[in-house]
Amino acid sequence: MGCNYCLNNFSEQEIISKENSEENSALKNNTNHNSLYKETITISQKGSESKKNKKNKIIQKIIVARTKDFFGMEILEEINKYRLKHGVEELIYDEKISKISQKYAEKCAREKELELSENKYNNEELGEILFCYKDELTPKEVVDIWYNHGSVNYNYNIEPEISNDFTQLIWKNSKSFGLGHAVTKENKYYIVANFFPEGNIKDQFLKNVFPLLNQSETNSVYSLNTKFLEEILHSHNELRLKHNSPPLILSPNLSTLAQKKVEEMAKKGIKKYKKEINKDNYGINYFFSKNNCTGDEVTSFWYEGINKYNFTKKENKNDEKINNFTQLIWKNTKEVGFGYTNDDKGNFYVIAYYFPCGNIKGEYKNNVFPSII
């Protein structure tokens, strides 16, 4: 079951071509990546060689697609912050669901209507939130609107008579998420958010919609909301974009594990991390410095392994620098968690846990690609 919501009255408009729609959507909704996107467009406009222009157009389209992924992942990150506060597991980004969402978002924009779809995934109905707006909104502002559309005065002790966006956002049994968005020439944005399994099922609210936890119960680095975490996640995803890998989502579970481990290592003053066998199958990057560093600086340190990596070989030698780099951009990795701390001497420690694990023998060719920029 789904909901729809619109901030502006509909007016006559013409949906622009899919390619232009993607470009405007990327520019409007991903301010963090505007400079990268605009630079690519500028490059593609220079020179008269047809081969060069063709190559740059291909790169431009790849960046548009990846930037669209960023918007969906940023929306999901904000949703998962709310889910954490209500004591339910985070959603996982699903590319197949997002393709369904994107197709329907373009249909809504083209037909100037917000009608709940009959889309299915694995032969089961999807939960759905439809949304349109004209003024530029950040991912956080979009999710805040959905959350506030129903959370005020919600009674968690009774089954509600009607469903809303809020209850779908934090529905316990929903596990996966996909998002599509389209823009018209009038700069009206249409968003389709899909959830699987669907939420808002009659007589199931008491089992799936829970009140806010106490702050002490929200045991995750999300509650820190620090600039460092924002920087390190953003810099990871910017570099993954360059290597045509999808953006990572910040996992509270992995972050909790990473924080516990890094505090143990800081107590022992361990400067280098010895690889351990872990049954949970997550990849690990480790950082030590005598001084505090920004999230960008830590990510750049791990990325330096690109200078030693040979993209033409099927395998590279086991080298810590190389392993840091390849795990950072490993395509099949979907989630990441960070832990960081200082010891009593002021030394700075950082651990990143990645899932699924990267650096798998025989899989480099399908997961580590040269920079497209």
Side-chain angles (χ1 to χ4, degrees), residues 28-148:
K28 282 284 184 182
N29 292 312
N30 293 276
T31 55
N32 290 336
H33 311 292
N34 278 353
S35 59
L36 175 64
Y37 182 83
K38 289 178 180 178
E39 180 182 354
T40 307
I41 293 177
T42 301
I43 292 173
S44 69
Q45 291 173 344
K46 291 181 178 180
S48 58
E49 304 93 334
S50 59
K51 289 184 179 180
K52 182 177 179 181
N53 287 341
K54 183 176 181 180
K55 179 180 179 181
N56 284 324
K57 286 181 179 179
I58 293 173
I59 293 174
Q60 175 182 324
K61 288 182 178 180
I62 292 173
I63 291 176
V64 169
R66 291 272 69 90
T67 307
K68 179 169 289 188
D69 285 343
F70 269 109
F71 182 68
M73 294 298 287
E74 288 169 349
I75 289 280
L76 180 56
E77 184 177 344
E78 296 301 326
I79 292 174
N80 281 337
K81 289 178 182 179
Y82 277 124
R83 289 177 67 85
L84 177 70
K85 292 177 181 179
H86 287 266
V88 295
E89 293 183 3
E90 72 271 18
L91 299 172
I92 301 299
Y93 184 80
D94 191 301
E95 292 183 0
K96 292 181 180 180
I97 295 177
S98 290
K99 288 180 180 179
I100 296 172
S101 307
Q102 182 60 35
K103 184 177 180 180
Y104 194 67
E106 292 170 4
K107 181 178 184 294
C108 287
R110 185 170 56 249
E111 297 180 358
K112 302 172 288 184
E113 291 183 348
L114 280 181
E115 294 287 342
L116 293 175
S117 75
E118 296 181 357
N119 289 332
K120 294 185 178 181
Y121 180 66
N122 291 343
N123 294 321
E124 295 184 32
E125 291 188 6
L126 289 163
E128 190 167 79
I129 296 177
L130 304 181
F131 184 72
C132 78
Y133 59 98
K134 190 166 185 179
D135 296 327
E136 184 175 348
L137 297 175
T138 66
K140 183 180 186 305
E141 289 170 334
V142 171
V143 176
D144 285 347
I145 290 171
W146 294 346
Y147 182 84
N148 293 327

Side-chain angles (χ1 to χ4, degrees), residues 265-322:
M265 299 189 73
K267 288 181 180 179
K268 298 177 182 178
I270 298 175
K271 298 180 180 179
K272 288 192 175 183
Y273 185 81
K274 293 183 179 180
K275 297 294 181 182
E276 301 173 353
I277 298 176
N278 62 79
K279 297 180 181 180
D280 296 315
N281 190 33
Y282 45 76
I284 301 170
N285 277 350
Y286 184 64
F287 176 85
F288 169 85
S289 174
K290 293 183 178 180
N291 303 299
N292 283 351
C293 297
T294 66
D296 292 341
E297 289 169 338
V298 175
T299 303
S300 295
F301 174 81
W302 290 333
Y303 188 73
E304 287 176 1
I306 189 175
N307 298 320
K308 302 176 70 175
Y309 187 77
N310 189 332
F311 290 94
T312 61
K313 286 186 177 182
K314 293 183 179 179
E315 302 289 343
N316 279 255
K317 63 181 180 179
N318 187 19
D319 179 273
E320 182 179 356
K321 280 278 189 180
I322 291 177

